[in-house]
Amino acid sequence: MKNYDLVVIGFGKAGKTLASKFGALGKKVAVIEKSPQMYGGTCINIGCIPTKKMVEQSKFAKFHSDKMAYYAESVANKNALIKALRAKNYAMLDDNANIDVIDGVGSFLSEKEVKITKNDGTTQVVCAPNIIINTGSVEQKPNCLISSNLVYSSTQILELTTLPKHLVVLGMGYIALEFASLFANFGSKVTIVARKSDFMPKEDEDVAASVLSSLQKQGIEVILSANLKEIVGEKLTFESAGKLHTIEADAFLAATGRVANTADLALQNAGVKTDKRGNIITNEFLQTTAAHIYAVGDVKGGELFTYISLDDYRIVFSHLCGDSSRTINNRATHASSLFLNTPLSSVGLKEKEAAAKGYEIKVAKLALSGVPRAKILSHDDGFLKAIIDAKSGKILGAAFHSVDSSEIINQIAIAMELGATYKVFQNQIFTHPSISEALNDLFGQF
C-alpha cells in the first residue's frame, strides 16, 4: 500500500484541478483513471468540447456539395482536437513529480483505502487522509426493448464516421436537442421522439415556441407524447394517443438522461451513501456521508455542467486548504447555454418561476429581426427576454434565444451577481455592431 496526501478517483474537471493545485503545493497525489481515452474528463473527451466542435463545423455543411465527405472530415478534425487536449491534460498532471496518474478502476476497501484494478488484472492499494470521487455520469438506457446495432449513446455517435440518412433522437434534453440540431445541419433527416406532452416544458411557453420554430426551420420533426415500445433493427415502435406507430431509420440516438457513475466504487465499504436516484449525497462543502471523502462533478447530481465541476474544486479546496468560506450556497450567479443552430441561453428565474414566487414582475422582449448584428450574420431567428422585479428594478432572469447568446448572457449573470438594476444596461455603451448593444433596447423598455 502506498500513502498519499490526496487520492482522486476520476480525471474530471474538479478532480484534475484539485490534483494540480495540491501537487503545486508539494502534496503527494494519486489520480486514478480507468481509461486513457478519458484523460481530462467527460467535457474534453465525450462532452462539451467535441460536441461544440461538431456544432460549429455543422454550420458550414451547407457550403459543401458532398455532405458525407464533409461530415467525415469534421469527425476527423474533432478527433484531432480531442487527442491534443487529452495529451495536454495528461501532461499537466504527469509532468508534476508530486502526482502519479494511475490507470485502472478504483474501488473502496475502507474509508481511506482504495484498490486499483489494472487492465492486466494486477491490483494496487493506495491510501490518503482525503479522497475525491470525480467519476462523472454515464448514459441512461432507454426504457424499452432494444434489438438493434443502430442504437447509439451520445458517446458512441460522436465516433460515427458515416453521416446517417435518417437519425431518430430519443429524448428532449440538452444532449438530445444539440445532436438533433447539428446532424440536421450536416444534412441528416432528423426526428425527435419524446415522452413528454409539451415541448421543453421547463421553459416559458414563448421561449419553447421560439426554439421549436427554429428546429422546424432546420427540417427537424418533433413527435411528443410517445411511449417507446421497442427498437428492432431499423424500426422504432412507439405508442401515442392509444395507437402504435413505427419509424424506420439508419441511426437512433438514445439521449434519455444520465446517471451517476458509481457502479465500480464499492461505496458501501467507505460508508458513502447515495440518494434514490443514485447520486452521491453531499453537504454544502461537498463532503459525503464519510466526512473526509468528497464528491465533485456529475457524480453528485444537480447541474451537470463542467463549470459547476470547476466551482466544486473551489469549494473543496477552500474547505481543505482555506477558510471554508466557499460552499454550494454561495456559488456565483451563473447561466446555462443550449448550443443549437440558434443557441438558447438563460440565467436566473423564468417568467413563470418569478410569478410563482410572488414577485411583481415586468417583462421585456426584443426580436432579433431588428438587431443590426443579427442581420449582418444572416441569423436573425429568435428573441431576447428579460424579467425584472417591478419594485426594486433588479434583474430576476433572462432568456436569450439568439446567435452569440452564450456570450452575452454572462453580462446579465454578472449584473445579477452584483445586484445591479436594469438601468445599467439602459445606459451602457456597447460596441457596434454587436448583439450586446441590443441590451440597450431590451432594457430600455422598462
Side-chain angles (χ1 to χ4, degrees), residues 7-20:
V7 168
V8 179
I9 309 175
F11 208 136
K13 184 68 172 181
K16 71 184 181 186
T17 312
L18 279 165
S20 179

Side-chain angles (χ1 to χ4, degrees), residues 277-296:
R277 295 179 61 85
N279 300 312
I280 293 178
I281 297 170
T282 58
N283 65 10
E284 68 270 29
F285 301 109
L286 301 179
Q287 292 170 290
T288 68
T289 46
H292 62 281
I293 300 175
Y294 297 76
V296 293

Side-chain angles (χ1 to χ4, degrees), residues 338-415:
L338 175 57
F339 288 84
L340 306 174
N341 193 50
T342 301
L344 172 65
S345 302
S346 59
V347 64
L349 297 175
K350 305 181 193 314
E351 180 181 353
K352 59 184 177 183
E353 292 173 338
K357 287 180 177 290
Y359 285 103
E360 182 182 340
I361 62 173
K362 291 183 179 180
V363 179
K365 300 179 187 179
L366 182 71
L368 263 290
S369 57
V371 178
R373 177 64 176 171
K375 292 293 188 183
I376 291 171
L377 296 174
S378 299
H379 201 139
D380 61 358
D381 274 356
F383 70 108
L384 307 180
K385 178 179 182 178
I387 303 103
I388 69 166
D389 183 339
K391 294 180 179 179
S392 67
K394 289 187 177 181
I395 304 165
L396 297 175
F400 296 165
H401 184 215
S402 159
V403 61
D404 291 345
S405 67
S406 61
E407 293 292 344
I408 62 172
I409 197 67
N410 293 307
Q411 299 177 42
I412 308 300
I414 292 171

Side-chain angles (χ1 to χ4, degrees), residues 8 10 29 46 61 65 99 102-103 132 136 147 184 187 193 195 221 235 237 266 290 320-321 328 351 363-364 426 441:
V8 179
V29 183
I46 59 173
S65 57
I99 302 174
I102 307 171
D103 293 340
I132 311 296
S147 180
V193 179
R195 175 177 52 84
E221 179 186 16
K235 186 178 293 185
T237 301
L320 288 176
C321 301
I328 63 171
E351 180 181 353
V363 179
Q426 282 186 337
D441 293 331

